[in-house]
């Protein structure tokens, strides 16, 4: 049996009288890339922020790496934060800091780490993210959208996390840039043994990177399974999403890529 590293039970998220999630359950297993999809308003990013400890739910329980995210003591939460990385849309970088300084931010929490070591580690993570060697000295405004996303990923990887949360990592990228980012995610998940929680609407990303899919609908996780198993789910949104023309194009592209390999 695969180890469960994220366990969500009975989750309820709401804003005023608007209920986004109600009775939501979800398990995420060590080493997998889980893609979270759903229609507009189903709370994909809300779920990510809740599991990552950034937004308290109205009810329910979230356990990650053995820690109760909303009931643990401060020292336990600090230890947990060092085992988790988060990449927000467009990188969410500090505009007044260079890329290397942005990546150094999480590293500053490590005691007795010299400035030289901190910079060396930051530049290593920048290299792992696929950015060119000189990108570390640039500021976010000097980077393209794809480069900012890679810089955000480098910062998320700064502390060698076990779990990484990615919020719409390929949104706004051209097809070539998105495909390259998909390859990077898959490669890093395998080489670093990462567990990846990935919110996306991009079918190409789902086919290229994900081991399992979780579909949000009706205020809960409607179904989880492999992307192929989604074809058999008897639900109108799931059928439209995974059997539509864009889904067929994504399947054909992956099949052609596999044939070339």
């Amino acid at each position: 049996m695969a180890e469960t590293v994220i366990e969500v039970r009975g989750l309820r998220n709401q804003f005023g009288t608007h209920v986004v999630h109600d009775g939501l359950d979800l398990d995420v297993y060590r080493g997998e890339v889980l893609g979270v999809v759903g229609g507009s308003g189903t709370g994909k990013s809300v779920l990510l922020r809740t599991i990552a400890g950034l937004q308290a739910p109205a009810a329910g329980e979230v356990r990650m790496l053995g820690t109760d995210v909303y009931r643990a003591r401060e020292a336990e939460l600090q230890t947990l934060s060092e085992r988790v990385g988060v990449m927000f849309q467009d990188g969410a970088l500090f505009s007044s800091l260079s890329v290397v300084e942005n990546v150094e931010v999480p590293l500053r929490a490590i005691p007795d780490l010299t400035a030289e070591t901190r910079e060396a580690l930051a530049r290593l993570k920048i290299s792992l993210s696929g950015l060119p060697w000189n990108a570390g000295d640039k500021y976010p405004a000097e980077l393209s959208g794809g480069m900012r996303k890679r810089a955000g990923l480098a910062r998320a990887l700064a502390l060698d996390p076990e779990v990484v949360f990615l919020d719409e990592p390929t949104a706004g990228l051209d097809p070539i840039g998105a495909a390259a980012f998909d390859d990077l995610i898959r490669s890093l998940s395998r080489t670093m043994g990462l567990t990846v929680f990935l919110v996306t609407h991009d079918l190409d990303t789902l086919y290229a990177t994900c081991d399992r899919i979780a579909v949000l609908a009706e205020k809960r996780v409607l179904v989880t399974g492999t992307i192929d198993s989604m074809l058999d789910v008897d639900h109108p949104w799931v059928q439209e999403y995974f059997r539509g023309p864009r889904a067929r194009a994504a399947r054909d592209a992956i099949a052609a890529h596999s044939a070339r390999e």
Side-chain angles (χ1 to χ4, degrees):
M1 294 291 292
E3 177 189 357
T4 302
V5 295
I6 297 174
E7 183 178 343
V8 181
R9 293 293 181 270
L11 191 71
R12 181 181 177 89
N13 277 312
Q14 66 182 91
F15 302 95
T17 59
H18 177 58
V19 178
V20 180
H21 305 132
D22 193 14
L24 185 151
D25 297 334
L26 178 65
D27 290 322
V28 183
Y29 305 120
R30 183 173 293 280
E32 76 170 343
V33 179
L34 178 76
V36 179
V37 300
S40 178
T42 54
K44 299 181 290 296
S45 294
V46 172
L47 179 60
L48 181 152
R49 292 195 298 269
T50 303
I51 295 175
L54 304 174
Q55 177 178 305
E61 180 180 359
V62 178
R63 298 188 67 84
M64 181 160 50
L65 297 168
T67 299
D68 189 319
V69 175
Y70 291 100
R71 295 181 178 87
R73 293 173 295 182
E74 188 64 32
E76 294 177 290
L77 293 176
Q78 178 60 37
T79 299
L80 177 63
S81 70
E82 295 171 2
R83 303 169 69 188
V84 175
V86 182
M87 192 199 98
F88 299 100
Q89 292 187 40
D90 200 37
L93 302 172
F94 297 108
S95 60
S96 61
L97 300 180
S98 68
V99 170
V100 72
E101 289 169 337
N102 266 280
V103 179
E104 284 183 14
V105 169
L107 294 167
R108 293 182 181 277
I110 301 177
D112 303 322
L113 196 64
T114 67
E116 292 78 10
T117 302
R118 189 170 59 237
E119 181 179 348
L121 289 171
R123 290 190 183 278
L124 173 62
K125 298 307 164 63
I126 290 168
S127 176
L128 283 174
S129 73
L131 286 170
W133 66 270
N134 61 344
D137 299 317
K138 295 182 181 296
Y139 287 84
E142 301 176 283
L143 304 178
S144 66
M147 293 176 73
R148 284 195 298 271
K149 286 178 182 289
R150 288 176 182 266
L153 179 61
R155 187 175 62 186
L157 297 174
L159 295 176
D160 292 330
E162 298 172 51
V163 179
V164 175
F165 293 89
L166 306 178
D167 192 1
E168 297 283 6
T170 59
L173 297 183
D174 63 82
I176 295 174
F181 206 95
D182 290 340
D183 289 342
L184 176 65
I185 293 170
R186 194 63 185 169
S187 174
L188 290 175
S189 71
R190 289 172 174 170
T191 57
M192 299 180 67
L194 299 174
T195 301
V196 180
F197 185 101
L198 188 159
V199 169
T200 187
H201 68 279
D202 191 328
L203 280 155
D204 290 323
T205 295
L206 294 177
Y207 275 97
T209 66
C210 295
D211 300 299
R212 283 196 309 140
I213 309 297
V215 177
L216 295 186
E218 301 171 12
K219 302 178 183 179
R220 60 189 175 90
V221 174
L222 180 74
V223 63
T224 61
T226 65
I227 196 163
D228 288 336
S229 71
M230 295 297 119
L231 299 174
D232 299 322
V233 176
D234 186 17
H235 186 276
W237 187 89
V238 178
Q239 285 290 306
E240 182 177 359
Y241 187 76
F242 287 100
R243 288 187 177 274
R246 294 185 66 185
R248 290 194 295 272
R251 285 198 298 273
D252 292 344
I254 291 298
H257 181 72
S258 298
R260 287 195 299 270
E261 293 183 339

